[in-house]
Amino acid sequence: MSPAAAFTAKGLPKPSPGVCGWVALLPPRAATQPLEGTATADVTVIGAGFAGLSAARRLRELEPALSIVVLEAGVVGEGPAGRNSGFIIDLPHEVSSEDYGGDSLRKSRDHVTLQRRAVDFAKDLAAERGLGREVLDPRGRYNLALTAEGDRHLSDYAAQLDRLGEAHAMLDAAQVAGVTGSTAFTSGIYMPGTVIVQPAAYVRALADSLAAPARLHENTPVTAIERAGSGWRVRAPKGSVESPRVVLANNGHAERFGLFRGRLLHVHTYASMTEPFDPARLGGDRAWAATPASPMGTTLRRVTGPDGDRLLVRARYTRGPGLDVGEGTLRRAGALHDAKFAHRFPMLSGVGMQYRWGGAMALTRNAVPAFGEVEDGIFAACGCNGLGASNATASGLAAAEMLAGVETPLTRLYRGFAGPAAFPPRPLTLIGARATLAFRAWKAGIE
Protein backbone atom coordinates (compact mmCIF):
# COMPACT_ATOMS: atom_id res chain seq x y z
CA MET A 1 0.00 0.00 0.00
CA SER A 2 1.20 3.49 -0.78
CA PRO A 3 1.06 6.06 2.03
CA ALA A 4 -1.47 8.21 0.20
CA ALA A 5 -2.53 11.41 1.94
CA ALA A 6 -5.73 12.04 -0.01
CA PHE A 7 -7.98 10.77 -2.78
CA THR A 8 -9.85 13.57 -4.54
CA ALA A 9 -12.80 12.83 -6.81
CA LYS A 10 -12.25 13.81 -10.43
CA GLY A 11 -15.91 14.48 -11.07
CA LEU A 12 -19.12 13.54 -9.31
CA PRO A 13 -21.73 10.92 -10.27
CA LYS A 14 -24.27 12.02 -12.86
CA PRO A 15 -27.75 10.57 -13.31
CA SER A 16 -27.99 7.79 -15.87
CA PRO A 17 -30.26 8.50 -18.85
CA GLY A 18 -33.97 7.84 -18.96
CA VAL A 19 -36.76 7.22 -16.47
CA CYS A 20 -36.32 4.00 -14.52
CA GLY A 21 -39.57 2.04 -14.41
CA TRP A 22 -38.76 0.46 -11.05
CA VAL A 23 -38.50 3.90 -9.44
CA ALA A 24 -41.47 5.34 -11.31
CA LEU A 25 -43.73 2.54 -10.04
CA LEU A 26 -42.96 3.42 -6.41
CA PRO A 27 -44.18 6.36 -4.33
CA PRO A 28 -41.58 9.16 -4.15
CA ARG A 29 -38.95 8.51 -1.50
CA ALA A 30 -38.56 10.96 1.40
CA ALA A 31 -34.77 11.16 1.29
CA THR A 32 -32.76 11.52 4.47
CA GLN A 33 -31.02 14.81 5.12
CA PRO A 34 -27.70 15.53 3.40
CA LEU A 35 -24.62 15.58 5.59
CA GLU A 36 -23.92 18.99 7.08
CA GLY A 37 -21.18 20.00 9.47
CA THR A 38 -18.60 17.66 10.97
CA ALA A 39 -19.29 14.18 12.30
CA THR A 40 -17.40 11.18 13.60
CA ALA A 41 -18.10 7.47 13.19
CA ASP A 42 -16.45 4.10 13.62
CA VAL A 43 -16.99 3.35 9.93
CA THR A 44 -17.93 5.50 6.93
CA VAL A 45 -19.54 3.73 3.98
CA ILE A 46 -19.42 5.47 0.60
CA GLY A 47 -22.29 4.38 -1.62
CA ALA A 48 -25.79 3.16 -0.72
CA GLY A 49 -26.33 0.50 -3.35
CA PHE A 50 -26.24 -3.28 -2.98
CA ALA A 51 -22.62 -3.33 -1.77
CA GLY A 52 -22.62 -0.37 0.60
CA LEU A 53 -25.95 -1.10 2.26
CA SER A 54 -25.15 -4.81 2.59
CA ALA A 55 -21.85 -3.89 4.23
CA ALA A 56 -23.55 -1.51 6.65
CA ARG A 57 -26.24 -4.02 7.61
CA ARG A 58 -23.68 -6.80 8.10
CA LEU A 59 -21.54 -4.55 10.30
CA ARG A 60 -24.60 -3.84 12.43
CA GLU A 61 -25.19 -7.59 12.77
CA LEU A 62 -21.58 -8.22 13.80
CA GLU A 63 -21.11 -5.19 16.07
CA PRO A 64 -24.47 -3.63 17.03
CA ALA A 65 -22.86 -0.75 18.92
CA LEU A 66 -20.75 0.33 15.95
CA SER A 67 -21.48 3.86 14.73
CA ILE A 68 -21.80 3.85 10.95
CA VAL A 69 -22.37 6.72 8.53
CA VAL A 70 -23.51 5.85 5.00
CA LEU A 71 -23.14 8.53 2.33
CA GLU A 72 -25.12 8.31 -0.90
CA ALA A 73 -24.52 10.72 -3.78
CA GLY A 74 -28.18 10.68 -4.86
CA VAL A 75 -31.37 9.15 -3.53
CA VAL A 76 -31.40 5.49 -2.49
CA GLY A 77 -32.83 3.31 -5.25
CA GLU A 78 -32.44 5.91 -8.00
CA GLY A 79 -28.83 5.10 -8.88
CA PRO A 80 -27.41 2.02 -10.63
CA ALA A 81 -28.71 -0.38 -7.94
CA GLY A 82 -32.33 0.59 -8.58
CA ARG A 83 -31.77 0.35 -12.34
CA ASN A 84 -30.76 -3.30 -12.04
CA SER A 85 -32.89 -6.05 -13.60
CA GLY A 86 -33.40 -7.52 -10.13
CA PHE A 87 -31.94 -11.04 -10.39
CA ILE A 88 -30.09 -12.15 -7.24
CA ILE A 89 -28.84 -15.34 -8.80
CA ASP A 90 -27.28 -18.33 -7.08
CA LEU A 91 -25.80 -19.90 -10.21
CA PRO A 92 -23.50 -18.08 -12.64
CA HIS A 93 -24.76 -17.16 -16.10
CA GLU A 94 -21.85 -19.17 -17.48
CA VAL A 95 -20.43 -22.31 -15.88
CA SER A 96 -16.86 -23.00 -16.99
CA SER A 97 -16.82 -25.33 -19.99
CA GLU A 98 -13.20 -26.32 -19.41
CA ASP A 99 -12.32 -29.89 -18.51
CA TYR A 100 -13.72 -30.49 -15.06
CA GLY A 101 -10.40 -31.30 -13.49
CA GLY A 102 -10.34 -30.08 -9.91
CA ASP A 103 -9.53 -26.39 -10.39
CA SER A 104 -12.33 -25.57 -12.85
CA LEU A 105 -14.96 -27.38 -10.80
CA ARG A 106 -13.74 -25.73 -7.61
CA LYS A 107 -13.93 -22.25 -9.15
CA SER A 108 -17.51 -22.81 -10.28
CA ARG A 109 -18.48 -24.08 -6.85
CA ASP A 110 -16.78 -21.08 -5.25
CA HIS A 111 -18.91 -18.71 -7.34
CA VAL A 112 -22.04 -20.61 -6.37
CA THR A 113 -21.08 -20.29 -2.69
CA LEU A 114 -20.50 -16.55 -3.12
CA GLN A 115 -23.75 -15.88 -4.96
CA ARG A 116 -25.80 -18.13 -2.69
CA ARG A 117 -24.59 -16.08 0.29
CA ALA A 118 -26.13 -13.01 -1.39
CA VAL A 119 -29.42 -14.88 -1.93
CA ASP A 120 -29.56 -15.96 1.71
CA PHE A 121 -28.83 -12.42 2.89
CA ALA A 122 -31.69 -11.06 0.78
CA LYS A 123 -34.08 -13.71 2.07
CA ASP A 124 -33.15 -12.87 5.65
CA LEU A 125 -33.87 -9.19 5.02
CA ALA A 126 -37.25 -10.04 3.47
CA ALA A 127 -38.21 -12.20 6.44
CA GLU A 128 -37.19 -9.56 8.97
CA ARG A 129 -38.87 -6.66 7.16
CA GLY A 130 -41.95 -8.58 6.04
CA LEU A 131 -41.30 -7.85 2.37
CA GLY A 132 -43.98 -9.16 0.04
CA ARG A 133 -43.40 -11.05 -3.19
CA GLU A 134 -43.77 -7.80 -5.09
CA VAL A 135 -40.40 -6.80 -3.56
CA LEU A 136 -38.64 -10.17 -3.20
CA ASP A 137 -39.94 -13.28 -4.92
CA PRO A 138 -38.08 -16.62 -4.48
CA ARG A 139 -39.51 -18.04 -7.69
CA GLY A 140 -36.25 -18.95 -9.46
CA ARG A 141 -35.29 -18.01 -13.00
CA TYR A 142 -35.43 -19.38 -16.50
CA ASN A 143 -32.68 -19.37 -19.09
CA LEU A 144 -34.26 -19.25 -22.55
CA ALA A 145 -33.12 -19.94 -26.12
CA LEU A 146 -34.55 -18.91 -29.48
CA THR A 147 -32.14 -20.67 -31.86
CA ALA A 148 -30.46 -24.04 -32.42
CA GLU A 149 -27.20 -22.53 -31.17
CA GLY A 150 -28.98 -21.33 -28.05
CA ASP A 151 -30.41 -24.83 -27.57
CA ARG A 152 -26.91 -26.30 -27.73
CA HIS A 153 -25.65 -23.76 -25.23
CA LEU A 154 -28.42 -24.64 -22.79
CA SER A 155 -27.77 -28.36 -23.24
CA ASP A 156 -24.07 -27.84 -22.47
CA TYR A 157 -24.97 -25.63 -19.50
CA ALA A 158 -27.31 -28.32 -18.13
CA ALA A 159 -24.55 -30.92 -18.37
CA GLN A 160 -22.24 -28.63 -16.42
CA LEU A 161 -24.91 -28.09 -13.77
CA ASP A 162 -25.20 -31.86 -13.51
CA ARG A 163 -21.47 -32.03 -12.78
CA LEU A 164 -21.92 -29.42 -10.07
CA GLY A 165 -24.87 -31.31 -8.60
CA GLU A 166 -27.15 -28.26 -8.94
CA ALA A 167 -30.92 -28.58 -9.29
CA HIS A 168 -32.41 -27.61 -12.65
CA ALA A 169 -35.06 -28.74 -15.13
CA MET A 170 -34.92 -28.67 -18.93
CA LEU A 171 -37.97 -27.35 -20.79
CA ASP A 172 -38.95 -27.92 -24.40
CA ALA A 173 -40.59 -25.28 -26.58
CA ALA A 174 -44.13 -26.17 -25.50
CA GLN A 175 -43.20 -26.01 -21.83
CA VAL A 176 -41.51 -22.63 -22.28
CA ALA A 177 -44.61 -21.34 -24.07
CA GLY A 178 -46.64 -22.51 -21.08
CA VAL A 179 -44.56 -20.21 -18.89
CA THR A 180 -44.00 -17.20 -21.14
CA GLY A 181 -47.12 -17.26 -23.31
CA SER A 182 -44.84 -17.02 -26.37
CA THR A 183 -44.02 -19.63 -29.02
CA ALA A 184 -40.84 -17.77 -30.03
CA PHE A 185 -38.61 -19.75 -27.67
CA THR A 186 -37.15 -23.14 -28.56
CA SER A 187 -35.97 -24.43 -25.16
CA GLY A 188 -35.19 -23.39 -21.62
CA ILE A 189 -33.73 -24.34 -18.27
CA TYR A 190 -35.42 -23.61 -14.95
CA MET A 191 -33.18 -23.01 -11.90
CA PRO A 192 -35.02 -22.68 -8.58
CA GLY A 193 -32.45 -20.89 -6.42
CA THR A 194 -32.62 -17.33 -7.80
CA VAL A 195 -34.64 -14.68 -6.00
CA ILE A 196 -36.21 -11.91 -8.04
CA VAL A 197 -36.42 -8.42 -6.57
CA GLN A 198 -37.98 -5.10 -7.43
CA PRO A 199 -34.51 -3.53 -7.18
CA ALA A 200 -35.47 0.03 -6.24
CA ALA A 201 -37.89 -1.21 -3.56
CA TYR A 202 -35.35 -3.75 -2.29
CA VAL A 203 -32.51 -1.27 -1.79
CA ARG A 204 -34.93 1.14 -0.13
CA ALA A 205 -35.91 -1.63 2.30
CA LEU A 206 -32.25 -2.42 2.89
CA ALA A 207 -31.53 1.24 3.67
CA ASP A 208 -34.54 1.50 5.96
CA SER A 209 -33.38 -1.58 7.89
CA LEU A 210 -30.39 0.33 9.28
CA ALA A 211 -30.93 1.31 12.89
CA ALA A 212 -29.10 3.72 15.17
CA PRO A 213 -26.25 4.21 15.73
CA ALA A 214 -26.07 3.78 11.94
CA ARG A 215 -27.29 6.76 9.92
CA LEU A 216 -27.74 7.46 6.23
CA HIS A 217 -27.24 10.76 4.42
CA GLU A 218 -28.63 10.95 0.88
CA ASN A 219 -27.83 13.62 -1.72
CA THR A 220 -24.31 13.66 -0.28
CA PRO A 221 -21.65 13.05 -2.94
CA VAL A 222 -18.16 12.45 -1.60
CA THR A 223 -15.58 14.86 -2.95
CA ALA A 224 -12.44 13.64 -1.17
CA ILE A 225 -11.04 11.07 1.25
CA GLU A 226 -8.16 12.55 3.29
CA ARG A 227 -5.91 11.27 6.01
CA ALA A 228 -6.88 12.58 9.45
CA GLY A 229 -4.49 11.39 12.12
CA SER A 230 -4.53 7.60 12.12
CA GLY A 231 -7.86 7.53 10.24
CA TRP A 232 -9.69 9.26 7.41
CA ARG A 233 -11.80 12.34 6.79
CA VAL A 234 -14.47 11.86 4.15
CA ARG A 235 -15.49 15.19 2.66
CA ALA A 236 -18.82 16.13 1.08
CA PRO A 237 -20.03 19.53 -0.21
CA LYS A 238 -21.49 20.66 3.12
CA GLY A 239 -19.80 18.48 5.70
CA SER A 240 -17.31 15.76 6.58
CA VAL A 241 -17.03 12.54 8.59
CA GLU A 242 -13.95 11.34 10.40
CA SER A 243 -13.55 7.61 11.00
CA PRO A 244 -10.73 5.10 11.32
CA ARG A 245 -12.25 2.84 8.67
CA VAL A 246 -13.96 3.42 5.33
CA VAL A 247 -15.85 1.06 3.03
CA LEU A 248 -15.64 2.24 -0.57
CA ALA A 249 -18.73 0.81 -2.29
CA ASN A 250 -19.21 3.12 -5.27
CA ASN A 251 -18.30 0.60 -8.00
CA GLY A 252 -16.87 2.29 -11.11
CA HIS A 253 -16.65 5.68 -9.42
CA ALA A 254 -13.74 4.34 -7.34
CA GLU A 255 -11.58 5.11 -10.37
CA ARG A 256 -12.51 8.78 -10.11
CA PHE A 257 -10.71 8.76 -6.75
CA GLY A 258 -7.59 7.37 -8.42
CA LEU A 259 -8.16 3.81 -7.21
CA PHE A 260 -8.01 0.83 -9.57
CA ARG A 261 -6.91 3.21 -12.31
CA GLY A 262 -6.83 1.41 -15.65
CA ARG A 263 -8.35 -1.72 -14.07
CA LEU A 264 -12.07 -1.01 -14.42
CA LEU A 265 -14.05 -1.10 -17.66
CA HIS A 266 -17.14 1.12 -17.51
CA VAL A 267 -20.11 -0.33 -19.38
CA HIS A 268 -23.73 0.78 -19.65
CA THR A 269 -26.67 -1.50 -20.24
CA TYR A 270 -30.27 -0.53 -21.05
CA ALA A 271 -33.81 -1.59 -20.28
CA SER A 272 -37.34 -0.74 -21.37
CA MET A 273 -40.61 -1.48 -19.58
CA THR A 274 -43.99 -1.60 -21.28
CA GLU A 275 -47.11 0.24 -20.36
CA PRO A 276 -49.59 -1.97 -18.48
CA PHE A 277 -51.58 -4.42 -20.59
CA ASP A 278 -54.57 -6.66 -19.95
CA PRO A 279 -53.21 -9.99 -18.61
CA ALA A 280 -55.71 -11.82 -20.83
CA ARG A 281 -53.68 -10.74 -23.87
CA LEU A 282 -50.74 -12.96 -22.93
CA GLY A 283 -50.97 -16.56 -21.74
CA GLY A 284 -48.55 -18.34 -19.47
CA ASP A 285 -47.58 -17.38 -15.94
CA ARG A 286 -48.21 -13.83 -14.82
CA ALA A 287 -44.83 -13.46 -13.08
CA TRP A 288 -41.60 -14.92 -14.38
CA ALA A 289 -38.03 -13.84 -15.04
CA ALA A 290 -35.60 -15.09 -17.68
CA THR A 291 -31.99 -14.59 -18.62
CA PRO A 292 -30.81 -15.37 -22.18
CA ALA A 293 -28.96 -18.40 -23.49
CA SER A 294 -26.28 -16.01 -24.76
CA PRO A 295 -24.76 -13.69 -22.12
CA MET A 296 -25.17 -10.78 -24.54
CA GLY A 297 -28.77 -11.68 -25.31
CA THR A 298 -32.05 -10.37 -23.95
CA THR A 299 -33.24 -10.47 -20.35
CA LEU A 300 -37.01 -10.55 -19.81
CA ARG A 301 -39.37 -10.17 -16.85
CA ARG A 302 -43.14 -10.20 -16.59
CA VAL A 303 -44.32 -8.03 -13.73
CA THR A 304 -47.80 -7.88 -12.25
CA GLY A 305 -49.38 -4.74 -10.86
CA PRO A 306 -52.69 -3.22 -9.86
CA ASP A 307 -53.21 -1.69 -13.30
CA GLY A 308 -52.25 -4.76 -15.34
CA ASP A 309 -49.10 -6.61 -16.34
CA ARG A 310 -45.87 -5.25 -17.81
CA LEU A 311 -42.86 -6.74 -19.56
CA LEU A 312 -39.29 -5.63 -19.03
CA VAL A 313 -36.78 -6.02 -21.86
CA ARG A 314 -33.07 -5.55 -21.19
CA ALA A 315 -30.51 -5.73 -23.99
CA ARG A 316 -27.53 -3.87 -25.44
CA TYR A 317 -24.22 -2.95 -23.83
CA THR A 318 -22.10 0.08 -24.68
CA ARG A 319 -18.67 1.30 -23.69
CA GLY A 320 -17.94 5.00 -23.94
CA PRO A 321 -14.84 7.04 -23.12
CA GLY A 322 -16.23 8.02 -19.70
CA LEU A 323 -18.69 6.92 -17.04
CA ASP A 324 -21.66 8.75 -18.58
CA VAL A 325 -23.81 8.24 -21.69
CA GLY A 326 -26.42 10.37 -23.39
CA GLU A 327 -30.04 10.17 -24.49
CA GLY A 328 -29.10 9.29 -28.06
CA THR A 329 -27.53 6.03 -26.96
CA LEU A 330 -30.65 5.24 -24.96
CA ARG A 331 -32.86 5.88 -28.00
CA ARG A 332 -30.83 3.45 -30.10
CA ALA A 333 -31.05 0.83 -27.38
CA GLY A 334 -34.79 1.42 -27.18
CA ALA A 335 -35.22 0.70 -30.88
CA LEU A 336 -33.47 -2.63 -30.36
CA HIS A 337 -35.75 -3.41 -27.40
CA ASP A 338 -38.83 -2.68 -29.50
CA ALA A 339 -37.68 -5.12 -32.19
CA LYS A 340 -36.91 -7.86 -29.69
CA PHE A 341 -40.22 -7.34 -27.91
CA ALA A 342 -42.17 -7.50 -31.19
CA HIS A 343 -40.40 -10.71 -32.21
CA ARG A 344 -41.13 -12.48 -28.94
CA PHE A 345 -44.61 -11.15 -28.21
CA PRO A 346 -46.47 -10.40 -31.47
CA MET A 347 -49.76 -10.92 -29.62
CA LEU A 348 -49.01 -7.68 -27.73
CA SER A 349 -48.89 -5.55 -30.87
CA GLY A 350 -49.77 -1.97 -29.97
CA VAL A 351 -48.41 -2.19 -26.41
CA GLY A 352 -45.80 0.54 -26.13
CA MET A 353 -42.85 1.13 -23.85
CA GLN A 354 -43.64 3.51 -21.02
CA TYR A 355 -40.18 3.67 -19.44
CA ARG A 356 -36.65 3.41 -20.78
CA TRP A 357 -33.41 3.75 -18.84
CA GLY A 358 -29.72 3.03 -18.73
CA GLY A 359 -27.51 1.89 -15.88
CA ALA A 360 -23.77 1.69 -15.28
CA MET A 361 -21.64 -1.24 -14.22
CA ALA A 362 -17.90 -1.88 -13.87
CA LEU A 363 -16.03 -4.90 -15.18
CA THR A 364 -12.50 -6.11 -14.55
CA ARG A 365 -10.31 -7.72 -17.17
CA ASN A 366 -9.92 -10.99 -15.27
CA ALA A 367 -13.52 -11.01 -13.94
CA VAL A 368 -12.53 -10.65 -10.28
CA PRO A 369 -13.88 -8.01 -7.89
CA ALA A 370 -12.01 -4.76 -7.29
CA PHE A 371 -11.83 -5.64 -3.64
CA GLY A 372 -9.73 -5.48 -0.54
CA GLU A 373 -7.89 -3.09 1.75
CA VAL A 374 -6.55 -0.58 -0.76
CA GLU A 375 -5.13 1.67 1.98
CA ASP A 376 -4.78 1.15 5.69
CA GLY A 377 -8.40 1.32 6.88
CA ILE A 378 -10.02 1.68 3.42
CA PHE A 379 -11.81 -1.45 2.20
CA ALA A 380 -13.02 -1.50 -1.42
CA ALA A 381 -16.07 -3.50 -2.54
CA CYS A 382 -16.29 -2.60 -6.22
CA GLY A 383 -16.25 -4.21 -9.68
CA CYS A 384 -19.51 -6.17 -9.87
CA ASN A 385 -18.71 -7.67 -13.30
CA GLY A 386 -22.27 -7.51 -14.55
CA LEU A 387 -23.99 -9.39 -11.70
CA GLY A 388 -24.59 -6.35 -9.55
CA ALA A 389 -27.29 -7.63 -7.24
CA SER A 390 -25.41 -10.84 -6.44
CA ASN A 391 -21.74 -9.91 -6.64
CA ALA A 392 -22.08 -6.46 -5.13
CA THR A 393 -24.07 -7.85 -2.20
CA ALA A 394 -21.45 -10.53 -1.57
CA SER A 395 -18.60 -8.02 -1.85
CA GLY A 396 -20.27 -5.75 0.69
CA LEU A 397 -20.75 -8.64 3.09
CA ALA A 398 -17.15 -9.78 2.68
CA ALA A 399 -15.80 -6.26 3.22
CA ALA A 400 -17.81 -5.92 6.44
CA GLU A 401 -16.60 -9.28 7.73
CA MET A 402 -12.97 -8.50 6.95
CA LEU A 403 -13.26 -5.08 8.54
CA ALA A 404 -14.72 -6.68 11.67
CA GLY A 405 -12.00 -9.34 11.71
CA VAL A 406 -14.47 -12.19 11.26
CA GLU A 407 -13.34 -15.22 9.25
CA THR A 408 -16.10 -16.79 7.14
CA PRO A 409 -16.31 -18.97 4.02
CA LEU A 410 -16.99 -15.75 2.12
CA THR A 411 -13.87 -13.94 3.39
CA ARG A 412 -11.78 -17.01 2.57
CA LEU A 413 -13.07 -16.89 -1.01
CA TYR A 414 -12.37 -13.19 -1.36
CA ARG A 415 -8.86 -13.52 0.04
CA GLY A 416 -8.19 -16.06 -2.69
CA PHE A 417 -9.10 -13.72 -5.57
CA ALA A 418 -6.28 -12.19 -7.57
CA GLY A 419 -6.29 -8.44 -7.95
CA PRO A 420 -7.93 -6.89 -11.02
CA ALA A 421 -5.59 -7.00 -14.01
CA ALA A 422 -4.62 -3.86 -15.89
CA PHE A 423 -6.30 -3.09 -19.20
CA PRO A 424 -4.22 -1.93 -22.17
CA PRO A 425 -3.78 1.85 -22.61
CA ARG A 426 -7.10 3.69 -22.82
CA PRO A 427 -7.38 4.13 -26.63
CA LEU A 428 -6.74 0.43 -27.17
CA THR A 429 -9.12 -0.55 -24.39
CA LEU A 430 -11.88 1.65 -25.83
CA ILE A 431 -11.46 0.27 -29.34
CA GLY A 432 -11.14 -3.30 -28.11
CA ALA A 433 -14.14 -3.06 -25.77
CA ARG A 434 -16.38 -1.61 -28.46
CA ALA A 435 -15.29 -4.27 -30.95
CA THR A 436 -15.79 -7.06 -28.41
CA LEU A 437 -19.25 -5.84 -27.40
CA ALA A 438 -20.26 -5.47 -31.05
CA PHE A 439 -18.98 -8.97 -31.91
CA ARG A 440 -20.72 -10.59 -28.95
CA ALA A 441 -23.96 -8.76 -29.75
CA TRP A 442 -23.71 -9.97 -33.35
CA LYS A 443 -22.98 -13.51 -32.19
CA ALA A 444 -25.99 -13.42 -29.82
CA GLY A 445 -28.19 -12.47 -32.77
CA ILE A 446 -31.89 -12.70 -31.93
CA GLU A 447 -31.13 -14.29 -28.55
Side-chain angles (χ1 to χ4, degrees):
M1 297 180 196
S2 61
F7 302 94
T8 302
K10 306 298 183 184
L12 298 178
K14 296 180 182 178
S16 293
V19 177
C20 175
W22 300 123
V23 177
L25 293 176
L26 296 175
R29 176 173 170 81
T32 57
Q33 290 297 312
L35 176 69
E36 294 186 1
T38 58
T40 60
D42 294 316
V43 182
T44 302
V45 178
I46 301 172
F50 286 101
L53 291 172
S54 299
R57 178 175 167 86
R58 182 62 175 140
L59 284 168
R60 288 278 294 121
E61 292 174 348
L62 294 169
E63 300 184 34
L66 209 64
S67 62
I68 305 167
V69 171
V70 182
L71 305 178
E72 166 57 32
V75 175
V76 168
E78 296 184 9
R83 291 168 172 257
N84 190 282
S85 293
F87 292 70
I88 307 182
I89 70 171
D90 67 329
L91 298 175
H93 287 317
E94 292 277 359
V95 178
S96 174
S97 59
E98 302 169 23
D99 178 28
Y100 271 89
D103 190 54
S104 178
L105 188 61
R106 178 189 58 79
K107 286 181 179 178
S108 291
R109 284 179 172 153
D110 285 348
H111 282 288
V112 172
T113 297
L114 183 154
Q115 290 166 192
R116 197 156 280 157
R117 178 69 181 91
V119 170
D120 290 342
F121 175 82
K123 287 181 175 179
D124 289 344
L125 174 73
E128 178 194 297
R129 305 294 292 180
L131 303 180
R133 292 174 76 97
E134 73 281 1
V135 178
L136 185 144
D137 189 347
R139 69 171 49 253
R141 71 175 167 111
Y142 296 90
N143 200 285
L144 302 181
L146 289 93
T147 64
E149 183 176 352
D151 294 337
R152 287 191 294 273
H153 184 95
L154 293 191
S155 180
D156 290 344
Y157 185 49
Q160 293 158 12
L161 292 179
D162 284 334
R163 295 293 301 272
L164 286 170
E166 292 295 339
H168 63 281
M170 290 294 295
L171 288 76
D172 61 23
Q175 290 169 313
V176 174
V179 172
T180 64
S182 170
T183 58
F185 303 101
T186 52
S187 67
I189 300 179
Y190 171 69
M191 292 156 285
T194 293
V195 298
I196 309 300
V197 298
Q198 205 284 31
Y202 174 83
V203 293
R204 283 188 186 185
L206 188 50
D208 294 342
S209 76
L210 300 179
R215 59 193 189 274
L216 165 68
H217 295 283
E218 295 169 78
N219 294 311
T220 304
V222 171
T223 57
I225 309 168
E226 306 167 347
R227 285 199 178 274
S230 59
W232 298 94
R233 180 183 298 109
V234 179
R235 290 195 178 276
K238 296 183 179 180
S240 64
V241 185
E242 289 191 17
S243 61
R245 294 170 292 181
V246 175
V247 176
L248 189 70
N250 56 354
N251 209 16
H253 288 283
E255 196 168 18
R256 282 181 163 160
F257 288 89
L259 295 165
F260 304 111
R261 186 173 292 154
R263 296 172 191 272
L264 294 174
L265 182 68
H266 307 286
V267 173
H268 270 72
T269 187
Y270 306 88
S272 297
M273 182 181 285
T274 68
E275 62 193 6
F277 58 85
D278 182 348
R281 293 190 62 181
L282 181 63
D285 296 342
R286 288 194 58 199
W288 50 267
T291 50
S294 166
M296 292 291 290
T298 305
T299 295
L300 298 165
R301 280 185 63 176
R302 184 171 178 177
V303 183
T304 62
D307 52 356
D309 289 4
R310 298 171 184 267
L311 277 161
L312 174 142
V313 180
R314 191 188 79 168
R316 185 171 170 80
Y317 297 82
T318 64
R319 165 66 172 103
L323 274 71
D324 310 307
V325 295
E327 294 290 340
T329 306
L330 178 61
R331 284 194 297 272
R332 290 188 288 275
L336 176 66
H337 297 165
D338 292 347
K340 292 191 177 251
F341 174 72
H343 175 257
R344 288 159 175 77
F345 303 102
M347 72 292 292
L348 295 178
S349 175
V351 174
M353 297 295 176
Q354 186 172 3
Y355 304 112
R356 300 192 194 274
W357 66 93
M361 58 185 178
L363 313 180
T364 62
R365 187 176 184 180
N366 49 338
V368 298
F371 181 88
E373 194 171 10
V374 294
E375 289 284 338
D376 185 25
I378 299 181
F379 293 77
C382 303
C384 65
N385 286 296
L387 298 175
S390 304
N391 287 350
T393 296
S395 290
L397 297 176
E401 290 166 354
M402 284 188 181
L403 186 150
V406 175
E407 190 73 7
T408 68
L410 195 61
T411 60
R412 287 191 287 273
L413 284 178
Y414 273 84
R415 290 187 200 282
F417 284 129
F423 283 99
R426 183 172 174 177
L428 295 178
T429 296
L430 181 59
I431 294 168
R434 285 176 170 169
T436 298
L437 291 173
F439 172 75
R440 289 183 177 179
W442 170 83
K443 187 175 180 181
I446 63 171
E447 296 283 357

